[in-house]
Structure formats: structure tokens, C-alpha cells
Amino acid sequence: MEEFTLLPDLASRTFGGGVVAANDEFFAAADHLVDPAAPVFAPRTFGQKGQVYDGWETRRRREPGHDAAIVRLGAPGVIHGIDIDTAFFTGNYPPYASVEGCAVAGYPDPMQLTEAPWVPLVPRSPLAGDSQNLFTVDSRQRFTHVRLTIYPDGGVARLRVHGEIVPDPRLLPSVFDVAAAEHGARIAGCSNMFYGHPQNLIHPGLARSMGDGWETARRRDDGNDWVLVQLAAPAVIELAELDTSHFKGNAPGSATLRGIDTRTGLLDDPADWFELLPQIRLSPDTRHRFPVAVVPVATHVRLDIFPDGGMARLRLHGRPDMAALRARYEATT
């Protein structure tokens, strides 16, 4: 069940997710639900409405009913699992919760969302307090919004909506970053992620700190570290950006980029790979940009760093196969 938590959080503020409606936020704002940071708690920290919580908390109900919050997914896609995290909520967590999803084009307001057709994703299910409550989702439909309902009231720290990002190809230009998670790229493998997950490499925006990148342990052998990215669609890469921002005493000394088309080649066959960038020296705390000579279409790209260290971001701007993007989108809508 925990395997889906390795997939991107579609609701995260990292991708632009947000809470568009909540019927009650008396003790703590629902906006906390989509905060990418782990929840924190300082005991005996009181505000004008009581103990301060890093989550969404509603008042105690004195009449029948339930509370709900609607979340706009920053990255619409196919949902594989949901984490209703009640961290630090002990005597005030909801005993039950459910989650529904809907797919609405454009930028609907709360009234339009209320009237939208909602699909059950997680039935009304018991929750444990101060815990991650993990639920698998069996659906191949693309969703743009989810609605969390808690019964009857209480507090939830975070709502994580893990899945595959499926962008609308009508909203994409002819050339874009085909390694970006927000466009549907994903991490397919890596050698090491001791200090930082490689998923950070393909997140939107600039890294905020060294902790917002991919960093490996120090190697004590003759090998090197690597990460494999499955592109948003088969594409011809035209420009590569290798960003070592914030990594100063621990940036890689050099790096290479190689590509492969797995529709015709095998990942474990060295002969099927082709060079995108030869081994090139990297500087600390620097956004490096390199033009890429005309090469074959790639479905996957492997970044090798020598021998180890940290990278903030990897950007691969290229011309994707738009027919493949459209086919993926249409299969989920």
C-alpha cells in the first residue's frame, strides 16, 4: 500500500494545489492540507482560538452533519492513493473520512464545483489519530479536484493525493521541459538518495535550499551515482539545464547525459543508449545550460554524476511527440 506514496502528490502546493472551499475553519485553516512540508507541533502554544495546529481543524459539532474541504489539484492526473494524515491530532481527529474526485475544465468557482458530478475515491472509512491513514484508489480516470469529508468534525494535518500527472496537451507549447514532473515526467530509478529524493530534481521552480534537491551519500568506491528520468512523452531534446544551486562543497565534479528510446531499445543494453552530453565539468552553485546537438527521439534520459554529490534541478527542453501526449490524455478522460 505504501508504494503509491513514492508517486508525486498532485494536491501539493509545490505544483500549485490549493483549497478552494471549506465549510468550517474555526480552529485552523484548510490551506495547511496542501502544504508540502511535514506537519509540526509545539505543545502548549495557544492563540486566541486555542492550541495552534499545523493542519485543518473545525469546531466541535453540536448538530448532525459533517465538514468538507475541496482541493484543486495543482497537477491533474490519475490518482493511485490518498494519505489522510492526522499527525498531532489525538483527542480531536475525525473518526471517519471519505474522499471524492471530479474533473472540471477551466477554473470553476466553489458553486460550480459543488454542482459537479463527484466520483467516490475513498468510501467513508475509519481514521486513526496522529497517523498516516493510507488508502489505495482503483481508478484510471483523470481528476482535477478532490473533496475531503470528515465525520463529524475534527482535525487533519495533511491531505496527500498521490498519482500520475496527466497534463492537458492543449495547454502545452510545442517546446517545453519534457523532464518536468508537472508535465508528466517521472523518476524511473536512481543509484542513491541518502540526503534528498531525486523527485526534487524535476519539481517546478528553483530550488529553495540544498534540502530541496537530490543528494547522494559520499562514495567510497570507484563508481558514480545516477538517476533515470522517464520523459513526459517521447521527445527530441534541444537544451539541457544541470542546476547545482545551493550545492557548494558537495556539487558533482562532472556529469553526462544519455538517452534511449525504450520502444525500440532495452534499458539494460548499453548499445541502445546514445549520447546527449559528453562528460562535462560542473561548477558549484551554478545553473549550467548546454545546447544539445540533433539526436534521436528519447523516452528516457539518464543523468550520471561523477562521482557523487547533489543537484538542485534537471531541465530537458525538447520537442515532444504531441500525438503520444494526446493519446495518454484521452485514455483518462
Side-chain angles (χ1 to χ4, degrees):
M1 181 180 291
E2 293 184 5
E3 203 168 289
F4 69 71
T5 61
L6 299 176
L7 296 171
D9 176 8
L10 312 185
S12 173
R13 197 69 180 170
T14 297
F15 294 110
V19 175
V20 297
N23 71 303
D24 188 293
E25 302 174 276
F26 186 85
F27 286 114
D31 297 298
H32 292 118
L33 288 171
V34 298
D35 189 335
V40 296
F41 181 72
R44 300 195 62 79
T45 304
F46 293 96
Q48 295 303 312
K49 294 184 178 180
Q51 171 67 46
V52 176
Y53 278 95
D54 183 11
W56 171 46
E57 187 182 7
T58 67
R59 76 191 75 202
R60 299 188 187 213
R61 280 190 165 269
R62 301 309 186 200
E63 69 287 325
H66 50 259
D67 295 322
I70 297 176
V71 174
R72 179 192 67 248
L73 301 181
V78 176
I79 299 169
H80 287 258
I82 291 175
D83 177 7
I84 303 174
D85 187 350
T86 58
F88 305 113
F89 288 98
T90 53
N92 52 350
Y93 68 92
Y96 298 93
S98 64
V99 181
E100 303 158 282
C102 74
V104 182
Y107 308 96
D109 60 29
M111 181 60 70
Q112 291 172 309
L113 289 169
T114 300
E115 297 171 350
W118 290 89
V119 177
L121 300 176
V122 177
R124 177 169 169 158
S125 304
L127 299 182
D130 195 21
S131 304
Q132 288 182 278
N133 296 272
L134 304 176
F135 303 95
T136 57
V137 174
D138 184 18
S139 172
R140 298 306 300 167
Q141 182 178 341
R142 177 183 182 270
F143 294 100
T144 61
H145 297 75
V146 295
R147 179 166 62 193
L148 169 65
T149 303
I150 56 175
Y151 306 90
D153 53 43
V156 175
R158 297 289 188 270
L159 178 67
R160 308 297 192 198
V161 182
H162 297 281
E164 301 173 55
I165 297 171
V166 182
D168 184 340
R170 296 170 298 180
L171 305 179
L172 296 174
S174 58
V175 177
F176 60 85
D177 179 8
V178 292
E182 62 183 325
H183 296 147
R186 69 180 188 89
I187 299 297
C190 73
S191 59
N192 184 275
M193 51 180 179
F194 189 87
Y195 289 112
H197 198 286
Q199 181 70 32
N200 293 333
L201 282 175
I202 59 176
H203 272 173
L206 300 176
R208 296 162 294 177
S209 68
M210 197 167 67
D212 192 23
W214 169 52
E215 185 180 1
T216 70
R218 299 190 187 207
R219 295 194 74 100
R220 305 304 187 191
D221 56 25
D222 294 330
N224 73 280
D225 290 315
W226 55 269
V227 64
L228 179 66
V229 179
Q230 180 176 323
L231 303 180
V236 175
I237 308 299
E238 297 183 350
L239 181 74
E241 180 176 315
L242 280 60
D243 185 357
T244 60
S245 292
H246 308 295
F247 292 94
K248 299 175 182 177
N250 51 353
S254 60
T256 63
L257 282 176
R258 290 180 292 156
I260 189 173
D261 187 341
T262 56
R263 298 170 300 179
T264 57
L266 300 174
L267 288 171
D268 57 0
D269 187 346
D272 290 333
W273 289 83
F274 51 86
E275 184 179 90
L276 293 169
L277 279 182
Q279 188 163 349
I280 193 161
R281 185 184 67 82
L282 297 181
S283 299
D285 193 27
T286 302
R287 292 176 67 188
H288 308 79
R289 288 176 175 163
F290 305 105
V292 177
V294 177
V295 292
V297 172
T299 59
H300 295 68
V301 169
R302 173 166 158 155
L303 166 68
D304 281 81
I305 59 173
F306 300 92
D308 54 35
M311 297 281 298
R313 294 289 187 267
L314 172 66
R315 306 297 189 206
L316 300 171
H317 299 277
R319 296 185 180 275
D321 181 342
M322 297 303 291
L325 280 171
R326 285 192 294 271
R328 185 183 179 205
Y329 174 78
E330 291 167 359
T332 61
T333 56

